[in-house]
Amino acid sequence: MKKMSAVLFAVPLFLCSCASTSVDFSRCNPVAIMTIYSNPSVPWYDEKNDAPNQVQATDDGILTGVLNRAINRNNAESETAQSRIDEASELFSRRLREAGIAVIDPTVIQECSSYKNAGKNLFDYVGKTLPAAGYDVVKSSNGKLNKTMCEETTAKSVLYVHFLFQKMYVKDGVHNIGVAPRVVLSVYGVDSAGNKLVNREYVAVSPQYVPLVKTSSYDKDELCALFPEVVNEVIRAFLNDVVPAGNAVSAEVSPIRLPKSQAAAEENADGKNAVYEEKKSLAEKLLERGMSAEEVSELTELPLEDVEQLR
């Protein structure tokens, strides 16, 4: 592992974001985080195809994504995908609480009747996107959902959070000498009245890099170990925008939990049944393509005995 010198980049901190008006998010307490998700791999960043303030599309097709994950089981960049987004999610929520912003516990959000119809789809899980533990993938926001969520959870605002994990070449002149992690944090938030609070991207590249070996090989485990520092940097930049420095606190605020109603529990169970049926449908397609029951069980998270009954 090496550190970039001034020859490679002009500034020591490689972070940027699109222009936006700062908002005091501490006045919108507590906050309900609707989703935290990421990509299931670490694609290359291509500066030539990257438009200003716009991240690249990195989604795979549904079955292609599943098959790629099966092929790349021994690839650290794919194997650590879940732990990577889980750690980013935990850090994001913890940093909010440390800054004095109360965070609704995600289990409370999952129990809300409005959440099960929020556009979640099993195919996001197994192909294109990867949710953090305790969350579902919700790619779009709508006023009715946000308002209902605030009413059901006592939240004063809602956030939609997406992490994009990438890798990029480090150059010395015209020669590639290493690979560095790059992270894009996209955050969209509105208050309980539907007023937009934030809609911004934060981009950071690690000042550390993994050396290239024979022009193309590099240590993937070493690269993955560099991501947490970059994640912390984009979160710090976000908090600098939405929390006045004088309001930051060091004491941790516990997540807010609300009592679970029987009606909400029943509706949540119905949603889980629908997801189970979608998993069975996908499992049948994978079996038809010649995958073993064990492989299908691992990829769809269905019990092995349930998969074997689909044969």
Side-chain angles (χ1 to χ4, degrees), residues 103-286:
V103 179
I104 301 291
D105 190 272
T107 59
V108 174
I109 296 173
Q110 291 279 351
E111 292 159 7
C112 292
S113 58
S114 59
Y115 194 68
K116 71 174 185 177
N117 298 317
K120 303 180 294 293
N121 190 313
L122 166 70
F123 299 122
D124 283 329
Y125 288 66
V126 297
K128 298 188 276 187
T129 51
L130 189 65
Y135 292 97
D136 292 314
V137 175
V138 183
K139 289 187 175 182
S140 60
S141 164
N142 69 74
K144 182 178 180 180
L145 171 63
N146 296 335
K147 181 179 179 180
T148 304
M149 184 58 61
C150 288
E151 292 174 348
E152 294 185 14
T153 64
T154 73
K156 297 295 180 59
S157 58
V158 298
L159 285 180
Y160 295 77
V161 180
H162 174 228
F163 285 93
L164 175 62
F165 299 104
Q166 297 175 307
K167 56 193 173 188
M168 62 183 293
Y169 283 117
V170 175
K171 292 181 177 291
D172 184 3
V174 297
H175 301 290
N176 294 328
I177 62 171
V179 181
R182 181 180 191 267
V183 176
V184 181
L185 168 62
S186 302
V187 185
Y188 176 80
V190 297
D191 64 19
S192 56
N195 300 310
K196 184 170 68 177
L197 298 172
V198 61
N199 183 19
R200 193 167 185 182
E201 285 181 354
Y202 302 85
V203 183
V205 178
S206 174
Q208 313 257 12
Y209 69 90
V210 179
L212 281 174
V213 179
K214 295 182 180 179
T215 72
S216 60
S217 298
Y218 61 96
D219 191 317
K220 292 181 172 61
D221 290 289
E222 245 187 280
L223 179 73
C224 292
L226 295 176
F227 271 110
E229 178 186 356
V230 192
V231 168
N232 187 61
E233 195 58 52
V234 290
I235 293 174
R236 184 196 62 78
F238 164 68
L239 288 175
N240 283 346
D241 273 354
V242 301
V243 180
N247 287 9
V249 294
S250 57
E252 177 120 353
V253 181
S254 299
I256 295 177
R257 290 180 170 84
L258 300 180
K260 180 167 95 172
S261 68
Q262 183 64 32
E266 292 174 354
E267 288 176 332
N268 191 47
D270 291 339
K272 289 182 178 178
N273 289 336
V275 170
Y276 177 78
E277 292 301 319
E278 287 185 336
K279 286 185 177 182
K280 285 178 58 178
S281 176
L282 178 61
E284 290 174 344
K285 293 178 182 178
L286 295 176

Side-chain angles (χ1 to χ4, degrees), residues 51-67:
N53 302 330
Q54 182 178 350
V55 296
Q56 295 167 268
T58 59
D59 291 349
D60 296 318
I62 295 170
L63 291 178
T64 302
V66 173
L67 295 175

